Amino acid sequence: MWTDSFGFLLFMIVLSSNYAYSVSVKDKYAWDLLIFTQQWPQTVCKEWKQHNPSHKCSLPSNPEIWTIHGVWPTKLHTIGPAYCNRSWHFDPEAVKSIEAPLTQLWTNIEGDTETYALWSHEWTKHGTCAAELEPLNSEFKYFSNGLNWMRKYTMSDILAASKIVPSNEVQYTLVNIYLAVTTKLRVNPAIECRNVDGKSWLVEIRICFNKTLHLTDCDGIKGFKHKSAPYDHETIVTDILTNCDPQQKILYPKDYRPVAPFVIVQLYKLVSWLQWFTL
């Protein structure tokens, strides 16, 4: 009898331990919403080169378009989860059929790194956690969904609709950018800047989706504060989720890639020919 009781007690202890472990693991990887992060390649490139002047950038062929940084499952008021299945490695073959649009829209700006470095990182760190949802439960689905969101919610179009376009002369207010997004999408985004050389550079805009993949406010995501910013002499816009300085104008720079030497030579030849022709 004593042996039977001891065995039963031991069984219950093991069962309770396994249950507690499974609950703790589930809680560790729990998340509330998806952050869809778009980045402005010109600022990303500038920052990459600032780390090391020898760094090279791989910019998209369309200099006017934003690119995807990632789709990140996130628990409110914290960061993560991440690396939910470390045995589920990135397989380039799984996204071979969409590699062309990924290269253009989910571009690895850091040109000195391996071809699949960004996609591999995004999948292993974030995609394996997003795979909890059936529409995102494979590499192909995860990256395809990111591409679909990019085509539907590209910041290039959203900002341009409010006459906010890349410029090396014009600067914009935080409120300008915030209202451009909220007017179009009717949800609160998170706006990220980088401070470079004492100036504020627009680098990322994040929009959020719930677990049914519908747009929702980004309120509650970590790394940003709710700030107030002047809109005009009489109005203050409050609760802008950002790390930008609301009192400082923001740079949204145009493509600054130098003109290729071949082009310069051809222009010189054309000017010389025109000069000769008009003599």
Side-chain angles (χ1 to χ4, degrees):
M1 176 68 72
W2 182 87
T3 304
D4 290 345
S5 299
F6 178 77
F8 177 75
L9 179 61
L10 183 62
F11 170 76
M12 292 303 295
I13 291 173
V14 171
L15 186 64
S16 299
S17 299
N18 288 340
Y19 175 77
Y21 174 77
S22 65
V23 169
S24 66
V25 169
K26 185 176 181 180
D27 185 64
K28 177 182 178 182
Y29 296 133
W31 53 272
D32 300 309
L33 50 77
L34 293 159
I35 302 175
F36 178 52
T37 302
Q38 296 179 48
Q39 59 186 4
W40 181 237
Q42 313 309 324
T43 304
V44 176
C45 178
K46 184 175 182 65
E47 189 175 32
W48 178 237
K49 285 178 171 291
Q50 196 174 43
H51 289 162
N52 187 332
S54 68
H55 280 165
K56 295 180 175 61
C57 299
S58 295
L59 295 170
S61 57
N62 182 349
E64 299 292 316
I65 198 165
W66 287 63
T67 60
I68 303 169
H69 187 174
V71 177
W72 305 333
T74 303
K75 190 173 179 62
L76 293 174
H77 309 295
T78 187
I79 295 176
Y83 302 105
C84 296
N85 186 347
R86 290 183 180 273
S87 66
W88 199 349
H89 302 297
F90 176 75
D91 177 12
E93 290 300 316
V95 293
K96 206 69 178 177
S97 62
I98 56 172
E99 187 168 327
L102 281 176
T103 300
Q104 287 300 310
L105 299 178
W106 206 318
T107 312
N108 182 13
I109 307 299
E110 299 175 357
D112 307 272
T113 56
E114 295 181 2
T115 304
Y116 299 112
L118 176 61
W119 304 340
S120 177
H121 172 78
E122 293 303 314
W123 170 252
T124 55
K125 184 175 182 179
H126 304 290
T128 55
C129 300
E132 171 190 322
L133 301 183
E134 189 278 331
L136 304 173
N137 66 2
S138 71
E139 272 185 52
F140 180 81
K141 289 181 181 179
Y142 174 75
F143 286 103
S144 293
N145 189 78
L147 291 175
N148 289 337
W149 279 348
M150 188 62 176
R151 295 182 183 108
K152 189 173 183 179
Y153 303 110
T154 176
M155 287 300 149
S156 308
D157 296 340
I158 290 171
L159 296 178
S162 293
K163 296 182 171 34
I164 298 176
V165 295
S167 172
N168 293 330
E169 291 80 34
V170 179
Q171 296 181 38
Y172 301 97
T173 66
L174 176 61
V175 173
N176 290 150
I177 297 167
Y178 170 78
L179 291 178
V181 180
T182 55
T183 299
K184 186 73 173 177
L185 301 183
R186 304 295 179 182
V187 292
N188 292 334
I191 302 168
E192 185 169 1
C193 295
R194 290 285 188 271
N195 191 287
V196 182
D197 302 327
K199 297 178 180 179
S200 191
W201 298 69
L202 183 61
V203 64
E204 289 185 348
I205 296 179
R206 304 177 184 185
I207 58 176
C208 296
F209 295 82
N210 60 26
K211 285 192 170 184
T212 61
L213 305 187
H214 291 99
L215 280 167
T216 188
D217 293 328
C218 286
D219 300 338
I221 68 173
K222 197 172 176 65
F224 300 87
K225 295 181 179 179
H226 287 283
K227 298 182 180 180
S228 299
Y231 180 46
D232 53 36
H233 296 298
E234 300 178 353
T235 308
I236 299 292
V237 177
T238 60
D239 292 333
I240 302 176
L241 198 61
T242 186
N243 75 332
C244 307
D245 181 349
Q247 304 298 326
Q248 192 173 23
K249 289 288 189 73
I250 297 172
L251 288 164
Y252 177 25
K254 289 185 69 171
D255 184 10
Y256 59 86
R257 282 176 286 191
V259 179
F262 173 79
V263 175
I264 294 174
V265 170
Q266 298 307 309
L267 286 173
Y268 175 77
K269 289 181 178 179
L270 177 60
V271 171
S272 299
W273 180 82
L274 288 173
Q275 288 177 335
W276 174 84
F277 184 77
T278 55
L279 289 176

